[in-house]
Amino acid sequence: MYKALIFAYYFPPKGLSGVQRTTKFVKYLPDFNWSPTVITTGDIAYFAHDHSLLEDLKNENIRVVRVSGKEINSILKKKGTIKMPREIFRKLFAYVSAWLNITDNKRSWARQAYKEAKRLCSEEKFDVIFVSGPPFSSFEAAIRISEEFKLPVFVDYRDLWYGNQFAIYPTPWHRISTKKEEDAALRKVDKIVVTNRRVKERMMKNYPFLTHKKMLIIPHGYDAQDVAAAAPGAKKLTKKMVITYSGIFYEFITPKYFLKAFKQILKENPEVAVNIELHFIGFLRIENRRLIRRYNLQNFVVEHNYMEHLEALKKVMASDLLWFMVGKGRNADTISSSKMYEYFGTLKPVLACLPDGALRSHLEDYGASYISDPYDVKTIKSNILKAYEDYASGRQPVPDEEFVQKFDRRLLTGQLATEFQFFLKVH
């Protein structure tokens, strides 16, 4: 088999959304005659751990090598799974970290990953290097190995680097330095993988030397094996319509406008509201629970806390309507969430509160969707009422299954493997 060396800070047993994309590439690469070796973190403190994801890695052709840095997560590793802080404290830490670090605060881990990669490449032959960001500081390590061992390097953007929707630039110097760092990195890579066309267009505008040939779009997706495994355990425990949100709230991703819309339904259409349950899978912060109490919706909300991936998917599949939200932050049109594509895999109707952008475009093509502006309470309310009417009458919209199949994780990994093969011939 051919060999791929992969840098991935976010990787099982860590949980949450940043882990899924690289994990599924690694899971399916052996199907296409590629054996991945993943350099990832050792034990670290993190908000969620999902040991069930390690099942995806039980293949004799997959190897995982763990190294530790001196970033805050590694320093606090004995804490294990830590409580997610209130949003005000998370923002404060992010601001302090932005002052002290250009790009991100994972550079010490990247240095250790580089040393381990150098040892591995000195002992055996690899055919390609793949690195996924964020954290983008790991790009430098992968590029150094690429240059020293004459290997093609693929950089995978799960989000923008410069102009990232959550990035903080305390001074113009921080902003300019970040862009310069990305510019230098992009001039040295062989292929740039992005999740959607909006990211590609934004990067080509920021860095005019980039060409279409150098860019590759591979969207997020869903794992058909996971959907098949979860289906038998997806049991609905109520006769009410279940609306489910899976994930966490932070920055401009908030339940505020959805809850406000439902409060209006409770006031104006109580006969509808009493037949709906609002399920939340993930972490509700103190401020989220305060909103629920402010609108007096405690009797309508079912909180499931964080669940391992397959268990969460069972809850999602037992739902009648899946809710998704992205607010209007910087470059929000480029955001591409793996959660939405997993929603696609369930073939369930989706209630989406989104700005114009890549996600909204795909939801329109999906077909089974009720879409509104993220802050348009009136339309959100109307969409919930319409979704309930469709549910009660047995006329829920049906998605375009041919469109959905384009996002199968195994198919997407095949596209990546094909690009790897091309660079084998070139080099």
Side-chain angles (χ1 to χ4, degrees):
M1 301 182 84
Y2 300 111
K3 292 184 178 182
L5 183 60
I6 296 175
F7 292 75
Y9 184 88
Y10 295 105
F11 201 72
K14 285 187 284 298
L16 302 180
S17 59
V19 168
Q20 290 287 327
R21 181 174 173 87
T22 310
T23 303
K24 297 306 181 180
F25 282 150
V26 169
K27 174 183 178 179
Y28 286 115
L29 275 172
D31 290 358
F32 302 95
N33 203 35
W34 281 88
S35 175
T37 293
V38 183
I39 301 177
T40 186
T41 64
D43 293 336
I44 65 170
Y46 198 54
F47 302 124
H49 288 87
D50 187 345
H51 292 272
S52 71
L53 294 174
L54 295 172
E55 293 296 316
D56 282 347
L57 310 176
K58 289 186 176 180
N59 183 312
E60 63 181 5
N61 295 305
I62 295 173
R63 174 174 50 166
V64 179
V65 180
R66 299 187 181 276
V67 298
S68 296
K70 294 181 180 179
E71 81 285 6
I72 188 68
N73 303 74
S74 291
I75 293 172
L76 298 176
K77 65 182 179 182
K78 290 184 178 180
K79 299 280 188 181
T81 302
I82 58 177
K83 185 178 180 181
M84 188 164 286
R86 290 180 59 185
E87 183 66 0
I88 188 171
F89 295 124
R90 188 200 64 79
K91 287 183 175 180
L92 178 61
F93 174 77
Y95 184 74
V96 172
S97 180
W99 263 102
L100 300 176
N101 301 281
I102 299 300
T103 296
D104 57 59
N105 59 10
K106 306 297 189 292
R107 206 172 291 274
S108 72
W109 176 81
R111 285 194 291 267
Q112 296 305 313
Y114 161 76
K115 291 178 182 178
E116 183 62 23
K118 188 171 184 177
R119 182 189 69 79
L120 289 168
C121 289
S122 298
E123 295 176 356
E124 59 188 287
K125 179 182 180 298
F126 288 91
D127 300 290
V128 71
I129 298 170
F130 178 89
V131 55
S132 184
F136 295 106
S137 55
S138 59
F139 280 22
E140 180 183 350
I143 291 168
R144 285 182 66 187
I145 294 296
S146 167
E147 292 177 329
E148 290 174 22
F149 291 91
K150 310 302 180 190
L151 295 172
V153 59
F154 282 57
V155 294
D156 178 50
Y157 279 71
R158 300 192 311 278
D159 293 300
L160 284 174
W161 179 347
Y162 172 73
N164 182 284
Q165 63 270 22
F166 304 126
I168 298 170
Y169 304 112
T171 67
W173 177 81
H174 285 82
R175 179 184 294 273
I176 292 168
S177 297
T178 299
K179 189 174 184 182
K180 282 184 176 179
E181 192 168 304
E182 183 177 23
D183 182 292
L186 291 176
R187 291 178 186 275
K188 298 174 182 178
V189 305
D190 294 279
K191 200 76 173 182
I192 302 161
V193 185
V194 297
T195 55
N196 63 66
R197 190 167 300 281
R198 294 290 183 107
V199 174
K200 175 183 174 180
E201 290 170 350
R202 199 63 44 82
M203 289 179 66
M204 293 184 75
K205 180 179 180 181
N206 288 338
Y207 308 104
F209 62 86
L210 294 179
T211 64
H212 290 284
K213 186 178 180 180
K214 199 168 189 175
M215 309 284 289
L216 172 66
I217 299 173
I218 299 183
H220 288 307
Y222 67 95
D223 189 337
Q225 288 187 5
D226 287 351
V227 173
K235 301 187 186 303
K236 186 179 175 185
L237 302 176
T238 177
K239 293 183 179 179
K240 298 180 180 181
M241 182 174 85
V242 173
I243 303 177
T244 295
Y245 178 88
S246 180
I248 59 177
F249 297 106
Y250 57 102
E251 288 286 350
F252 47 83
I253 300 173
T254 170
K256 178 180 178 180
Y257 305 95
F258 171 81
L259 293 174
K260 188 179 267 189
F262 191 80
K263 176 63 176 179
Q264 289 187 10
I265 293 174
L266 177 59
K267 183 178 179 180
E268 300 168 10
N269 307 87
E271 73 285 357
V272 172
V274 296
N275 286 301
I276 297 176
E277 286 185 358
L278 311 178
H279 287 227
F280 293 88
I281 304 170
F283 300 111
L284 285 179
R285 286 191 172 93
I286 291 173
E287 51 266 38
N288 303 143
R289 295 192 183 99
R290 283 176 178 166
L291 270 177
I292 292 168
R293 289 195 298 272
R294 181 194 302 173
Y295 296 128
N296 198 25
L297 298 177
Q298 301 94 309
N299 293 334
F300 298 88
V301 170
V302 178
E303 186 179 350
H304 296 287
N305 294 317
Y306 182 78
M307 308 176 79
E308 290 190 335
H309 181 244
L310 205 60
E311 293 305 308
L313 187 54
K314 290 176 185 177
K315 292 293 184 185
V316 166
M317 295 184 70
S319 306
D320 302 297
L321 181 66
L322 305 177
W323 175 48
F324 185 81
M325 192 276 178
V326 171
K328 292 183 178 180
R330 179 206 299 132
N331 289 324
D333 63 310
T334 67
I335 293 176
S336 192
S337 169
S338 61
K339 171 172 55 187
M340 192 186 78
Y341 296 91
E342 188 152 73
Y343 281 5
F344 285 179
T346 70
L347 301 177
K348 296 283 184 175
V350 177
L351 175 72
C353 307
L354 299 168
D356 178 56
L359 288 173
R360 187 165 183 144
S361 177
H362 275 168
L363 267 165
E364 290 168 350
D365 292 337
Y366 178 62
S369 53
Y370 306 87
I371 305 173
S372 72
D373 181 271
Y375 309 138
D376 185 349
V377 173
K378 182 178 179 181
T379 304
I380 296 171
K381 180 187 75 172
S382 297
N383 283 346
I384 295 172
L385 290 171
K386 178 66 169 65
Y388 177 77
E389 179 186 338
D390 291 344
Y391 162 79
S393 63
R395 296 196 308 268
Q396 286 187 291
V398 177
D400 181 343
E401 291 193 38
E402 186 175 344
F403 171 76
V404 170
Q405 288 169 6
K406 296 177 182 178
F407 304 102
D408 185 299
R409 292 281 194 186
R410 188 179 185 280
L411 176 71
L412 298 174
T413 305
Q415 295 172 13
L416 180 63
T418 298
E419 289 293 325
F420 283 177
Q421 293 291 143
F422 173 77
F423 276 88
L424 278 181
K425 296 175 183 178
V426 171
H427 282 256

